């Protein structure tokens, strides 16, 4: 019998006992299935052509808060507290500095909640963690604050094309703000989306053909036929079903916790430990595939997530997709893995202001610009030709990447400090030590991309200095804008809608 405690509703305890799963997991799955049905109803009966944006905001918010209360109980109040205080900060502080204050408060509040969960309450007691949805809300709060700052304070010529596309030109109402943060489509598992995309969906402008007018403003030309999301939803639900089946059948027979079993550590050979580490973490990933793909399907079922059409004229429903499973499993580098895992969080990090990015990289452990690129830059050019040698290189880098990723994410699966330290101790912290040695001993080689970025920075700084000396009153290009060209994927989402 599943005995894990819950802070949420116990209404489904009989079902939890019947399927032998923790009540929190049952609550989550049932609530997401309810959200899927609600999304279909929302798109059918509360379509933007049939009802006002106000009603759509109210219904989306109330349903979201109900699902949060059902899953997390009184802990769901943290969502309202964090969102409410952040909104007050935006109103009181003003557009010039609110993005900095919102960042400090939202991330600080999330950190306090997480530390409280780990050190004051028993982290392993509950299988569902309210800080998961809070991470999504934190991302929404900080990204929206930056988008308002860009749209209402900074000049258009200071913004990159992607920043102009995402810039918010007016302060959201409290209802719009709560709807964006706590709507039923994304309250439990996200994914993160831009405020502008969300409001466009609520107001029914997702299918308008637009083109940029003067001063970067968008002028609506005409409305195209609304594509059906049914095919995309069915495909994603099939992925969900296969992922859930794999998780329930394989993960239970290959638990990650067995990596720290005393008998296994004492008797298993190193090849056995490495193979089991990879297989057990491989078996653990479908749980995330299920949750994120189902969340994507829920948004699509409501009509949110349309990204335009591909070269064959087929509708694309991957605007807010959070992962690419095939690329994840075939990754031959940390960068390739991180580019396809938790995609929206990666885009959020890349679009964060320069002073925030290092802190976020450290806290969220998503920086891929250290060990692996240095090894790649030093060795890859020796294995480009012939094709057989490159294949050998790809196989070796795939093995190394998968083992390194598995080694790295063990604490995120165990969700407890002592077992995590036990695991790393049993491995003698070998990959930690190897990583430090790589950073210290391998020469740093600049790639062409790094050189170009460095040259752009120098050019921008030189131009800014010259313009200041000549006092011509011309606006100089910001160094930040040259560094932040990593936002191309964000911009592509909007350019697709403009075609």
């Amino acid at each position: 019998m599943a005995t894990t405690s819950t802070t949420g509703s116990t209404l489904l305890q009989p079902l939890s006992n019947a399927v032998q799963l923790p009540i929190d997991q049952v609550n989550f799955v049932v609530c997401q299935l309810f959200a899927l049905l609600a999304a279909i109803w929302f798109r059918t009966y509360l379509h933007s052509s049939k009802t006002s944006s106000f009603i759509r905001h109210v219904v989306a918010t109330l349903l979201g808060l109900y699902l949060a209360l059902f899953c997390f109980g009184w802990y769901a109040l943290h969502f309202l507290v964090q969102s409410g205080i952040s909104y007050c900060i935006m109103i009181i502080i003003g557009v010039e500095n609110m993005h900095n204050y919102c960042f400090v408060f939202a991330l600080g509040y999330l950190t306090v909640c997480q530390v409280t969960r780990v050190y004051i309450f028993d982290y392993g007691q509950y299988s569902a963690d309210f800080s998961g949805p809070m991470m999504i809300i934190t991302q929404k709060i900080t990204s929206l604050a930056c988008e308002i700052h860009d749209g209402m304070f900074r000049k258009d010529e200071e913004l990159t094309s992607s920043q102009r596309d995402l810039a918010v030109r007016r302060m959201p109402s409290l209802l719009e703000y709560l709807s964006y943060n706590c709507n039923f489509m994304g309250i439990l598992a996200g994914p993160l989306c831009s405020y502008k995309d969300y409001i466009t969906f609520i107001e029914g402008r997702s299918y308008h053909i637009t083109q940029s007018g003067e001063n970067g403003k968008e002028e609506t030309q005409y409305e195209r036929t609304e594509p059906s999301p049914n095919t995309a939803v069915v495909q994603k639900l099939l992925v969900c079903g296969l992922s859930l089946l794999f998780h329930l059948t394989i993960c239970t027979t290959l638990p990650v916790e067995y990596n720290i079993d005393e008998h296994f550590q004492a008797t298993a050979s190193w090849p056995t430990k490495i193979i089991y580490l990879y297989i057990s973490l491989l078996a653990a990933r479908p749980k995330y595939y299920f949750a994120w793909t189902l969340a994507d399907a829920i948004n699509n079922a409501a009509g949110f997530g349309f990204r335009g059409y591909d070269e064959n004229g087929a509708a694309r429903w991957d605007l807010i997709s959070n992962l690419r499973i095939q690329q994840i499993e075939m990754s031959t580098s940390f960068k390739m893995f991180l580019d396809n895992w938790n995609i929206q969080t990666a885009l959020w990090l890349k679009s964060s202001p320069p002073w925030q990015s290092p802190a976020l990289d450290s806290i969220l452990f998503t920086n891929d610009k250290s060990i692996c690129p240095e090894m790649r830059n030093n060795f890859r050019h020796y294995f480009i030709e012939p094709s057989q040698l490159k294949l050998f290189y790809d196989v070796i880098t795939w093995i190394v990447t998968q083992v390194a990723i598995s080694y790295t994410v063990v604490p995120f699966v165990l969700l407890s400090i002592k077992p995590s330290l036990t695991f790393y101790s049993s491995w003698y912290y070998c990959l930690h030590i190897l990583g430090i040695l790589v950073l210290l001993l391998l020469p740093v080689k600049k790639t062409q991309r790094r050189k170009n970025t460095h040259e752009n920075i120098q050019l921008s700084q030189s131009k800014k200095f010259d313009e200041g000396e000549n006092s011509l009153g011309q606006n100089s290009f910001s160094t930040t804008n040259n560094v932040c060209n990593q936002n191309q994927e964000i911009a592509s989402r909007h350019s697709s809608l403009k075609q």
Side-chain angles (χ1 to χ4, degrees), residues 445-458:
K445 293 187 176 182
K446 285 187 177 181
T447 61
Q448 187 62 39
R449 182 179 178 182
R450 288 180 183 176
K451 291 179 181 178
N452 291 340
T453 301
H454 182 67
E455 291 170 359
N456 288 340
I457 293 173
Q458 290 182 325

Side-chain angles (χ1 to χ4, degrees), residues 89-102 144-154 168-172:
I89 290 174
M90 291 199 311
I91 298 297
I92 295 172
I93 298 299
V95 296
E96 181 177 359
N97 294 309
M98 68 177 186
H99 60 304
N100 295 329
Y101 285 90
C102 283
L144 176 55
C146 290
E147 290 161 5
I148 295 174
H149 173 75
D150 290 342
M152 298 182 65
F153 178 75
R154 299 176 66 188
V168 176
R169 307 292 177 177
R170 67 171 180 85
M171 188 68 68

Side-chain angles (χ1 to χ4, degrees), residues 132-388:
M134 279 191 67
M135 293 178 187
I136 304 296
I137 295 176
T138 298
Q139 293 174 12
K140 290 183 176 181
I141 289 172
T142 56
S143 62
L144 176 55
C146 290
E147 290 161 5
I148 295 174
H149 173 75
D150 290 342
M152 298 182 65
F153 178 75
R154 299 176 66 188
K155 297 179 181 179
D156 276 354
E157 55 266 26
E158 296 176 347
L159 305 177
T160 64
S161 59
S162 61
Q163 288 171 334
R164 280 193 294 270
D165 284 333
L166 296 176
V168 176
R169 307 292 177 177
R170 67 171 180 85
M171 188 68 68
S173 68
L174 180 59
L175 175 60
E176 290 171 331
Y177 191 74
L178 290 177
S179 175
Y180 172 59
N181 286 338
C182 302
N183 67 82
F184 74 95
M185 298 170 290
I187 186 68
L188 298 183
L192 171 68
C193 62
S194 77
Y195 175 80
K196 202 168 184 179
D197 285 335
Y198 180 74
I199 292 299
T200 298
F201 154 70
I202 288 292
E203 295 178 354
R205 295 184 285 109
S206 302
Y207 313 104
H208 289 175
I209 300 293
T210 61
Q211 70 178 29
S212 297
E214 296 181 0
N215 300 323
K217 295 182 179 179
E218 291 184 350
E219 299 177 354
T220 301
Q221 302 297 313
Y222 59 90
E223 184 175 351
R224 64 180 138 202
T225 303
E226 180 177 338
S228 171
N230 294 341
T231 300
V233 171
V234 170
Q235 291 174 345
K236 291 173 183 179
L237 291 179
L238 288 175
V239 173
C240 289
L242 292 174
S243 299
L244 184 61
L245 179 64
F246 188 90
H247 172 69
L248 294 177
T249 55
I250 305 299
C251 188
T252 54
T253 59
L254 297 169
V256 176
E257 291 77 9
Y258 192 63
N259 285 284
I260 58 174
D261 180 80
E262 293 183 359
H263 177 73
F264 176 75
Q265 292 179 350
T267 59
S269 62
W270 272 105
T272 302
K273 289 182 179 180
I274 293 172
I275 292 172
Y276 186 82
L277 174 67
Y278 166 69
I279 294 177
S280 62
L281 269 298
L282 174 65
R285 282 199 286 271
K287 175 174 65 175
Y288 302 96
Y289 296 162
F290 168 80
W292 282 339
T293 306
L294 180 56
D296 196 13
I298 292 169
N299 281 274
N300 292 168
F304 185 32
F306 177 66
R307 192 179 180 178
Y309 297 88
D310 62 19
E311 61 276 7
N312 298 318
R316 296 180 60 184
W317 288 90
D318 59 349
L319 177 67
I320 54 175
S321 294
N322 220 16
L323 53 82
R324 303 182 187 98
I325 298 176
Q326 182 178 353
Q327 287 86 339
I328 288 171
E329 299 302 340
M330 300 304 294
S331 295
T332 56
S333 68
F334 259 82
K335 184 183 186 306
M336 183 177 178
F337 186 96
L338 294 176
D339 283 347
N340 294 286
W341 173 272
N342 207 355
I343 296 171
Q344 302 305 321
T345 294
L347 294 176
W348 171 65
L349 287 170
K350 292 177 181 178
S351 62
S352 299
W355 75 270
Q356 296 179 9
S357 296
L360 294 171
D361 284 336
S362 300
I363 293 171
L364 300 177
F365 198 70
T366 57
N367 194 327
D368 65 300
K369 302 175 183 178
S370 54
I371 300 171
C372 293
E374 297 308 331
M375 295 183 67
R376 183 182 182 88
N377 294 339
N378 278 277
F379 297 114
R380 186 175 185 272
H381 57 279
Y382 293 116
F383 298 90
I384 299 299
E385 294 180 351
S387 57
Q388 294 86 349

